[in-house]
Amino acid sequence: MKRLVIGILAHVDAGKTTLSESILYTCGKLKKMGRVDKKDAFLDNYALERERGITIFSKQAVFEYNDTSFTLLDTPGHVDFSAETERTLSVLDAAVLVVSGPDGVQAHTRTLWRLLKNYDIPVFIFVNKTDRDVNKELALENIRRELSLACTDMTHIDDSRRPALIEEIAMCREDVMEKYLASGNIDDEDITDLVGTRELFPVCFGSALRSEGVETLLLLISRFCPEEYESSDFSAAVFKIGRDSEGKRLTYMKITGGELENRQTVEYFPKSSMSVKENGPERMVEKVTQLRVYSGEKYEAVSSARQGMIVAVTGLTATYPGQIIGGDEEVFAPELIPVMTYRVVENDPTRLRGILQKLKILEEEEPTLHVYWDEELKELCIRIMGDIQLDIIRYQLKERFNEEVVFDRGSVLYKETVAAPVIGIGHFEPLRHYAEVQLLIEPAPADSGITSASICSTNDLELNWQRLINTHIYEKEHKGVLTGATLTDVRITIIAGRAHLKHTEGGDFRQAVYRAIRQGLMKAQNVLLEPWYEFVLMIPKESLGRAMTDIERMSGRLTSDPDILQDMVILKGKAPVSEMQGYSKDVSAFTKGLGTLTLSHGGYLPCHNAQEVINAKNYDPEADLRNPSSSVFCAHGAGFVVPWNEVDMYKHISCEITTDQDCMRVILKDNDNDPEYVRDAGRAPAEERWLGVDEIDAIIERTAFSNRKNTFKNPYRKHRTDPEKTSVKPVGKSEKNVLEKEKYLLVDGYNIIFAWDELKELAAVSLDGARERLNGIMSNYQSMNGYNLIIVYDAYRVAGHKEEYYDLHNIKVVYTKEAETADRFIERFAHTKASLYDITVATSDGLEQIIIRGAGCKLMTARDLHEDVARNNSSLRERYMSAPFESAGTLIKDIIKNSDH
């Protein structure tokens, strides 16, 4: 039997819960349909849900239809509970997106559509409330305009209108169209494949309240929804943590592979041990004590759960939403984040301690609830999505723990970022300690958080110290210097660092990193950010003037022209969250209950009243002793503190930023203030910059052979006197070894992948696919050039991995051993084999080029290799096109002969 997990998603009041009731009634699961307005809905079983008439927590129901076993997950529709919906997405095989026929696609519908796209989930669209004289053609046009042109009405897939519908479906993809043109029809398998790859979105119409169109929807899902491939190895995705009426901890998970049996032991990593320790992260081993399959409030205890089932597991004490158990130990990060902060109003410290413990239990079940203790102000605070979620927390504290808790009015959760690149320097050198690090802090795309990179050479700072620096960048929430708000949307690059062989300890770099980030922010152009709402305001025409005045007063802005629908006007725009709080009540008042306001989160944007907020916060960054911007240096056997604005005069490593058109570089200088290294800071220039032979040789002579006499000549350099021959040019194009040694070409695999645009785009989707594509290109390239071609990939982060070689057609592929990079492998090969073979290395790593050239090898940049591959392909096509038909076979034989198959 086919097993499917489907979720129902919708904008609030689109009829999502009513559709769930109708599906269960149609399948015979319910004898009578419940209704939201009558407070007897089967899945809205919490008292507060029935009281408010909204879904707050995701619930499940199990039923069978058309030889398919369904697990139905009903999700919240209100924007305050969007994170609950997002966590559910990770376990869905398909989603039913409910669109209100009279209202069309609304703001939160677009947010859900974007999330479904990010999670790559097939979507079936149900247009609800068609019993209210909805024009189906206009409704479908609205869906196609707002969501996708691939949304197709499939109500008539099996009646007389099927031929026209099949032709429309065939146009979704070229290979399906070719099959349709050849045979005049397409199979259900083709349609299923289009749905699974999100190239087709079936649409059907109906009324959930009257159970119209519901059976058509179920038939479409059971017939065209793809099923997961079976796997024998156990794995599961955790999407929710809850507790039953007796307080037992429940881990809700979907079995994504293999089978889970009752009393079976499960191994997983708890959240607290995700940071790597000396012996690796701590692994939990616990026994499953019960497997429950819930349907509404009731559950059935089962002895085992197979792939595709949703179960609630007892006995696991440290699981968390978003966790993957078994398989790849990766977690998904929710895209929706809290925007409001509230303080617990309580003067009794003893009671505060008890409230903190209870809030921590709720935080475990609801990850968007962030509970924290402000040590400086001695306050207990929470961060949440909005007012409705605050009411839910109050209700849960009262119902579950009999705890009456008072919160303040709340405030917006501000954040900070930078407007321009800046170098931050952190130095920590009390007696018998030493660490210095220099970080480039740059603006990053909105909502990207903090990302990191490194352009620091391992010759300057060993890799283990660089990894430690990277850990310290992420291990805490760094504060900005304007209001002390969280730092976000920055890219932090390690550009230089120094350690002492004897005196440096791990904690030294922690201090250096914190101080470097803080010192950089003190020098930077800082920007205060605040959360904004995207709003859709529907009001009568006579209220338009009042609404426009309000939007201007709230510093909002319209993102499109007003839409006029008969006597109503629709305004779409953005406005700060701080100004929109409570505005829905105002809308109801001045429109006499006729207006509606729909809000969805629009991300963080520059604060509309930044100076006012900064003045009100009155934050002094230099007085924040927990986040120092100064550095500690040592002189005459004692450490002394240097203020942030004087650190540049005391630093041990000199570097500066230069900007060349679209490319920014960091220049490191030696003790004589002469340029020593030039490093790309990470933003790719318009055209690849590469080092020529003479430029590299000059660097080698100034470094590797600088302590020799003036008469000494670099043995690896060909000293030329003809000026025309000494011009900078790519290496490996025209130089030939007089001895005609056997030729080797070593390709730095990942360097090439991320240097070629087509492979870089493919790698963003599938790194395995990018590797296979590069292997294929290099195999063809070898057959035309006759190199002994070796592609080297990094595997240094894979614990226990041994050096791995294997033959792939006419080339060799190498995966390095643990703790060895591809650069190191290539350098080792070059040093040991340069005298025996004619070796060329394909890479655009500037430092590796210098080392390879110093070993006497030839160089080829990623751009040179790309151009040479293109020339070979062009040459092959020309030879093939110009060859007579009868000689084509001879040409192919020649190519095969050269490829060493």
Side-chain angles (χ1 to χ4, degrees):
M1 180 181 289
K2 192 175 182 180
R3 293 183 179 277
L4 295 176
V5 178
I6 62 171
I8 299 186
L9 299 87
H11 185 93
V12 65
D13 294 333
K16 172 178 52 57
T17 301
T18 305
L19 178 60
S20 300
E21 296 288 316
S22 185
I23 288 175
L24 296 175
Y25 177 75
T26 301
C27 298
K29 188 73 177 180
L30 298 179
K31 295 181 179 180
K32 177 186 175 183
M33 277 181 58
R35 291 185 54 159
V36 175
D37 54 351
K38 293 183 179 179
K39 302 180 181 180
D40 61 352
F42 178 71
L43 292 176
D44 283 350
N45 45 43
Y46 282 84
L48 192 61
E49 290 179 315
R50 291 177 173 175
E51 178 185 331
R52 285 180 170 267
I54 60 173
T55 301
I56 297 173
F57 306 103
S58 60
K59 271 89 60 182
Q60 72 182 67
V62 180
F63 62 92
E64 293 182 5
Y65 184 85
N66 194 27
D67 199 31
T68 302
S69 175
F70 285 93
T71 300
L72 173 68
L73 296 179
D74 187 20
T75 62
H78 199 282
V79 67
D80 278 17
F81 309 109
S82 298
E84 175 89 5
T85 301
E86 185 178 357
R87 288 193 298 275
T88 305
L89 296 184
S90 63
V91 299
L92 297 184
D93 295 315
V96 177
L97 185 63
V98 183
V99 177
S100 171
D103 301 324
V105 175
Q106 297 170 283
H108 192 51
T109 314
R110 286 189 288 271
T111 300
L112 293 171
W113 183 261
R114 176 176 57 81
L115 289 174
L116 290 166
K117 179 181 179 181
N118 292 346
Y119 283 89
D120 197 29
I121 297 174
V123 181
F124 295 79
I125 298 174
F126 183 78
V127 182
N128 195 21
K129 304 180 182 180
T130 55
D131 53 333
R132 298 186 184 178
D133 297 326
V134 172
N135 187 315
K136 295 184 179 180
E137 292 183 0
L138 292 179
L140 184 60
E141 181 183 346
N142 171 256
I143 292 171
R144 286 177 167 172
R145 182 176 65 252
E146 297 287 345
L147 302 182
S148 171
L149 293 174
C151 298
T152 305
D153 181 6
M154 293 182 61
T155 307
H156 307 288
I157 188 66
D158 289 320
D159 61 19
S160 59
R161 283 171 275 188
R162 174 183 170 87
L165 177 58
I166 290 297
E167 181 177 356
E168 183 179 354
I169 294 173
M171 294 176 66
C172 292
R173 199 167 68 200
E174 186 176 351
D175 61 323
V176 180
M177 173 57 79
E178 290 175 356
K179 182 175 181 179
Y180 172 75
L181 293 176
S183 63
N185 196 13
I186 57 176
D187 303 327
D188 281 6
E189 290 77 10
D190 298 318
I191 300 176
T192 301
D193 186 51
L194 290 172
V195 172
T197 55
R198 288 179 53 87
E199 294 171 283
L200 173 66
F201 303 102
V203 179
C204 62
F205 297 82
S207 170
L209 188 62
R210 299 185 178 184
S211 296
E212 296 174 0
V214 175
E215 196 163 355
T216 301
L217 173 66
L218 290 172
L219 285 170
L220 289 175
I221 297 173
S222 61
R223 183 173 172 183
F224 298 120
C225 180
E227 190 177 13
E228 284 186 346
Y229 294 108
E230 290 193 7
S231 172
S232 58
D233 297 328
F234 168 70
S235 60
V238 178
F239 68 97
K240 180 181 174 181
I241 301 296
R243 281 173 172 76
D244 63 10
S245 56
E246 298 177 355
K248 289 183 179 179
R249 189 179 192 272
L250 302 175
T251 300
Y252 290 84
M253 62 174 69
K254 178 186 179 182
I255 309 301
T256 55
E259 186 174 3
L260 178 63
E261 296 182 351
N262 194 21
R263 315 303 297 178
Q264 178 179 327
T265 56
V266 175
E267 297 184 7
Y268 63 94
F269 294 108
K271 198 168 190 177
S272 57
S273 69
M274 289 307 289
S275 58
V276 178
K277 302 176 182 178
E278 284 187 17
N279 300 321
E282 182 183 352
R283 183 183 288 269
M284 296 281 290
V285 180
E286 295 182 317
K287 183 178 289 186
V288 173
T289 57
Q290 192 176 37
L291 296 173
R292 303 178 180 181
V293 177
Y294 272 88
S295 191
E297 293 180 288
K298 300 179 180 180
Y299 69 87
E300 176 188 358
V302 295
S303 59
S304 64
R306 296 188 298 276
Q307 181 176 344
M309 293 178 64
I310 298 284
V311 290
V313 178
T314 62
L316 306 182
T317 61
T319 49
Y320 57 94
Q323 184 179 28
I324 305 298
I325 300 177
D328 297 328
E329 292 287 347
E330 297 180 356
V331 297
F332 66 86
E335 295 190 357
L336 301 166
I337 55 177
V339 296
M340 299 293 295
T341 179
Y342 294 86
R343 179 177 61 88
V344 176
V345 181
E346 178 58 58
N347 296 323
D348 184 359
T350 305
R351 188 160 180 262
L352 272 178
R353 195 176 297 113
I355 294 173
L356 175 60
Q357 294 174 352
K358 291 157 186 172
L359 284 172
K360 282 293 184 181
I361 294 175
L362 297 182
E363 181 183 36
E364 185 182 44
E365 301 172 11
E366 177 51 68
T368 57
L369 167 62
H370 292 256
V371 182
Y372 66 99
W373 173 259
D374 191 322
E375 184 63 34
E376 189 173 344
L377 299 176
K378 306 296 181 184
E379 293 178 344
L380 178 58
C381 303
I382 62 171
R383 294 175 182 173
I384 55 176
M385 303 290 285
D387 292 339
I388 295 181
Q389 190 179 6
L390 181 66
D391 292 341
I392 304 304
I393 292 170
R394 283 201 192 100
Y395 174 82
Q396 288 184 306
L397 288 170
K398 176 63 177 174
E399 287 295 310
R400 292 173 56 176
F401 307 111
N402 194 28
E403 192 80 65
E404 291 276 3
V405 179
V406 179
F407 295 91
D408 68 0
R409 293 184 59 186
S411 60
V412 166
L413 190 60
Y414 293 96
K415 294 188 178 184
E416 296 183 30
T417 188
V418 297
V422 64
I423 292 179
I425 304 167
H427 189 99
F428 187 71
E429 192 187 0
L431 188 61
R432 295 191 179 92
H433 293 268
Y434 186 91
E436 177 165 309
V437 63
Q438 300 196 16
L439 305 174
L440 176 64
I441 305 173
E442 303 173 86
D447 300 323
S448 62
I450 294 179
T451 57
S452 68
S454 176
I455 59 171
C456 181
S457 168
T458 53
N459 292 335
D460 297 333
L461 188 64
E462 291 183 4
L463 190 59
N464 62 314
W465 294 125
Q466 294 191 36
R467 289 174 177 167
L468 188 61
I469 291 171
N470 198 60
T471 299
H472 294 326
I473 290 173
Y474 287 109
E475 72 184 2
K476 69 171 286 188
E477 201 173 69
H478 299 282
K479 284 189 175 183
V481 297
L482 297 178
T483 64
T486 303
L487 180 68
T488 189
D489 298 345
V490 294
R491 183 174 187 260
I492 300 177
T493 304
I494 307 169
I495 59 174
R498 185 170 294 175
H500 191 280
L501 187 61
K502 180 179 179 181
H503 296 310
T504 300
E505 298 177 358
D508 299 345
F509 271 106
R510 174 181 285 109
Q511 288 292 328
V513 169
Y514 293 174
R515 294 167 189 268
I517 293 174
R518 194 70 170 175
Q519 197 258 359
L521 295 177
M522 293 295 288
K523 298 188 296 184
Q525 302 174 33
N526 294 280
V527 179
L528 185 65
L529 304 176
E530 67 175 342
W532 284 55
Y533 277 139
E534 290 182 354
F535 66 83
V536 177
L537 180 59
M538 180 180 289
I539 52 174
K541 285 183 179 179
E542 56 269 21
S543 302
L544 179 60
R546 164 68 187 272
M548 295 294 288
T549 302
D550 287 347
I551 292 171
E552 184 178 355
R553 174 181 54 81
M554 294 185 294
S555 301
R557 56 175 180 261
L558 296 182
T559 55
S560 62
D561 294 332
D563 292 333
I564 300 176
L565 300 175
Q566 298 178 352
D567 295 331
M568 303 295 286
V569 178
I570 299 177
L571 302 176
K572 298 178 182 179
K574 285 188 172 185
V577 170
S578 59
E579 300 293 335
M580 294 289 286
Q581 291 296 309
Y583 186 59
S584 57
K585 297 178 182 177
D586 295 343
V587 172
S588 297
F590 73 74
T591 62
K592 298 179 182 179
L594 299 176
T596 59
L597 175 65
T598 304
L599 302 174
S600 61
H601 295 292
Y604 273 79
L605 296 173
C607 184
H608 74 287
N609 59 338
Q611 195 57 51
E612 181 182 335
V613 173
I614 293 170
N615 294 339
K617 292 285 186 181
N618 195 27
Y619 176 71
D620 184 359
E622 296 189 57
D624 189 348
L625 300 181
R626 295 180 180 275
N627 297 279
S629 55
S630 58
S631 285
V632 180
F633 289 81
C634 186
H636 307 296
F640 62 98
V641 177
V642 175
W644 67 269
N645 53 345
E646 298 178 14
V647 172
D648 281 346
M649 296 185 292
Y650 288 84
K651 63 187 179 183
H652 291 182
I653 308 171
S654 180
C655 63
E656 62 184 39
I657 299 176
T658 63
T659 303
D660 179 15
Q661 296 179 350
D662 294 329
C663 180
M664 183 176 64
R665 292 188 175 86
V666 176
I667 300 178
L668 276 74
K669 298 184 178 180
D670 57 21
N671 293 333
D672 298 324
N673 213 32
D674 294 326
E676 187 178 15
Y677 296 116
V678 179
R679 295 179 183 160
D680 188 350
R683 289 185 293 178
E687 185 176 351
E688 178 189 354
R689 183 185 184 276
W690 46 271
L691 300 176
V693 180
D694 298 304
E695 188 175 353
I696 292 174
D697 286 341
I699 295 173
I700 293 172
E701 286 196 358
R702 196 171 69 245
T703 54
F705 305 103
S706 58
N707 60 341
R708 304 296 182 93
K709 295 180 180 179
N710 293 335
T711 57
F712 179 81
K713 300 294 184 181
N714 178 355
Y716 299 121
R717 182 182 181 187
K718 298 178 181 179
H719 295 272
R720 294 175 288 240
T721 55
D722 187 347
E724 295 183 1
K725 294 182 180 179
T726 59
S727 60
V728 176
K729 59 181 179 180
V731 181
K733 299 289 182 170
S734 59
E735 297 184 33
K736 290 187 178 180
N737 193 321
V738 177
L739 299 178
E740 293 295 337
K741 298 177 182 178
E742 190 175 357
K743 294 184 177 181
Y744 274 81
L745 173 62
L746 272 70
V747 178
D748 188 341
Y750 289 129
N751 184 281
I752 299 300
I753 284 175
F754 290 101
W756 292 5
D757 291 339
E758 62 271 28
L759 294 182
K760 185 176 181 180
E761 292 176 2
L762 180 57
V765 179
S766 170
L767 191 57
D768 290 340
R771 281 198 301 264
E772 291 178 6
R773 178 63 179 149
L774 177 61
N775 293 344
I777 293 172
M778 290 296 98
S779 180
N780 294 338
Y781 181 72
Q782 192 280 338
S783 68
M784 297 292 291
N785 289 274
Y787 284 109
N788 292 301
L789 199 149
I790 304 173
I791 305 179
V792 186
Y793 295 106
D794 289 309
Y796 71 92
R797 291 184 178 178
V798 181
H801 190 272
K802 297 181 180 179
E803 199 165 79
E804 179 184 357
Y805 298 80
Y806 70 89
D807 293 324
L808 181 67
H809 306 311
N810 53 336
I811 65 175
K812 292 184 182 296
V813 178
V814 177
Y815 287 90
T816 63
K817 62 186 178 183
E818 181 187 6
E820 182 179 52
T821 63
D823 296 357
R824 178 67 185 128
F825 177 92
I826 293 172
E827 292 162 15
R828 177 160 55 87
F829 187 94
H831 279 292
T832 57
K833 306 294 184 183
S835 60
L836 302 176
Y837 305 114
D838 182 2
I839 300 174
T840 302
V841 177
T843 181
S844 286
D845 187 319
L847 184 60
E848 188 180 354
Q849 288 178 333
I850 295 171
I851 296 171
I852 293 303
R853 185 60 184 167
C857 299
K858 298 176 184 178
L859 301 177
M860 184 181 292
T861 67
R863 183 184 63 184
D864 293 333
L865 181 61
H866 191 274
E867 292 174 353
D868 209 24
V869 168
R871 277 195 297 270
N872 284 344
N873 291 342
S874 177
S875 173
L876 179 62
R877 281 194 296 270
E878 290 175 2
R879 288 178 61 192
Y880 182 79
M881 296 302 293
S882 61
F885 180 80
E886 60 272 10
S887 65
T890 305
L891 175 61
I892 294 171
K893 290 178 181 178
D894 291 341
I895 294 172
I896 295 174
K897 183 178 179 181
N898 290 333
S899 67
D900 293 330
H901 270 285

